Amino acid sequence: MRADQDPRPDTGQLPTFEDIYVRAGQDFGAIPWAALAPNPALVSWLGRQPPPSGDRALIIGCGLGDDAEEAARRGYQVTAFDLSPTAIRHCRERFPGSAVDYQVADLFQLPAAWTGTFGLVVEIRTLQSLPLPQRADATRAMAAAVRPGGRVFARCLARGDGEPPVSRPWPVSHRELLGFAAAGLRETEFADQPATPPHGRFFTAVYTRPGPA
Ligand SMILES: C[S@@+](CC[C@H](N)C(=O)[O-])C[C@H]1O[C@@H](n2cnc3c(N)ncnc32)[C@H](O)[C@@H]1O
């Protein structure tokens, strides 16, 4: 068995994401990934794209909502979801009157109405939160939401294809990202970038469904 196919990540003692949000309460500093600002890699990438002119965007595992708000500010019609009801409550409270449609939803049971609907799907740090055996299903579910000509923007901690993941967040291998390609999308951008310690590096990648943009 290859290291990156190890089906036994150490999930047993880990708190769920809902546990982490609930325990933090209003102390967002206790949520390790909560920057309370949009992800700089997404901001930079969106800044290089043509105006979306009302296209729809789906934000996967949206956490506290900053990436969703950024996409909406840029002109996307945004749906953002998270498995954690507490995270979604925070989004609605932090951004009252937001144009974003925030929803509690499970990536693995997305509404059928979302299939093939979105011009942009944003995946930031959710894949790396999922145990390895769920990653093929996760990339398939994300890809299914992309309309012809639409794209997935993915940003995650990276590991080599043969490298064993150690602890959550479990960095993502390029082979796992190619689940988007297996689901019918083409890899149109891929960057392997250094990260600040203690993290090793990031992948930033874009996958595009063939069709008119
Ligand atoms: C590390 S956090 C990242 C949050 C946000 N994307 C960010 O970068 O700040 C991972 C998020 O994925 C959510 N999540 C985990 N499993 C999920 C699932 N099956 N469906 C939807 N969201 C999920 C968690 O609740 C959590 O908010």
Side-chain angles (χ1 to χ4, degrees):
M1 181 187 301
R2 287 193 306 261
D4 68 337
Q5 290 181 325
D6 184 352
R8 297 167 286 106
D10 177 21
T11 52
Q13 304 305 313
L14 293 173
T16 66
F17 285 96
E18 175 66 1
D19 290 339
I20 295 170
Y21 286 115
V22 167
R23 284 179 202 162
Q26 295 298 318
D27 177 13
F28 296 146
I31 301 170
W33 54 89
L36 305 184
N39 187 286
L42 177 67
V43 172
S44 161
W45 184 80
L46 286 173
R48 299 193 301 274
Q49 308 310 308
S53 56
D55 204 359
R56 294 188 67 185
L58 181 68
I59 315 297
I60 310 280
C62 64
L64 296 181
D66 297 275
D67 294 332
E69 294 297 321
E70 178 66 16
R73 193 180 71 76
R74 301 238 179 201
Y76 284 97
Q77 195 185 319
V78 180
T79 301
F81 73 94
D82 201 287
L83 188 59
S84 160
T86 302
I88 293 302
R89 202 177 60 246
H90 285 317
C91 291
R92 292 176 179 147
E93 288 172 1
R94 288 185 68 215
F95 304 108
S98 170
V100 176
D101 177 14
Y102 287 108
Q103 298 197 27
V104 177
D106 183 351
L107 173 62
F108 300 106
Q109 295 182 3
L110 294 184
W114 292 1
T115 302
T117 298
F118 296 91
L120 175 64
V121 171
V122 175
E123 142 50 24
I124 299 180
R125 301 189 292 185
T126 297
L127 267 182
Q128 69 189 43
S129 306
L130 298 172
L132 273 60
Q134 296 183 7
R135 291 188 179 175
D137 286 345
T139 47
R140 193 177 308 118
M142 294 178 195
V146 180
R147 66 160 170 76
R151 296 176 291 179
V152 173
F153 174 90
R155 167 86 168 175
C156 55
L157 288 170
R159 73 178 210 284
D161 282 332
E163 219 177 295
V166 179
S167 57
R168 193 171 77 181
W170 303 286
V172 178
S173 70
H174 189 204
R175 189 183 294 135
E176 288 162 357
L177 280 182
L178 288 175
F180 290 117
L185 278 57
R186 280 189 302 113
E187 186 174 80
T188 46
E189 296 181 36
F190 180 79
D192 184 343
Q193 298 150 324
T196 47
H199 303 303
R201 56 202 175 108
F202 290 114
F203 290 145
T204 305
V206 176
Y207 296 87
T208 303
R209 184 176 294 291

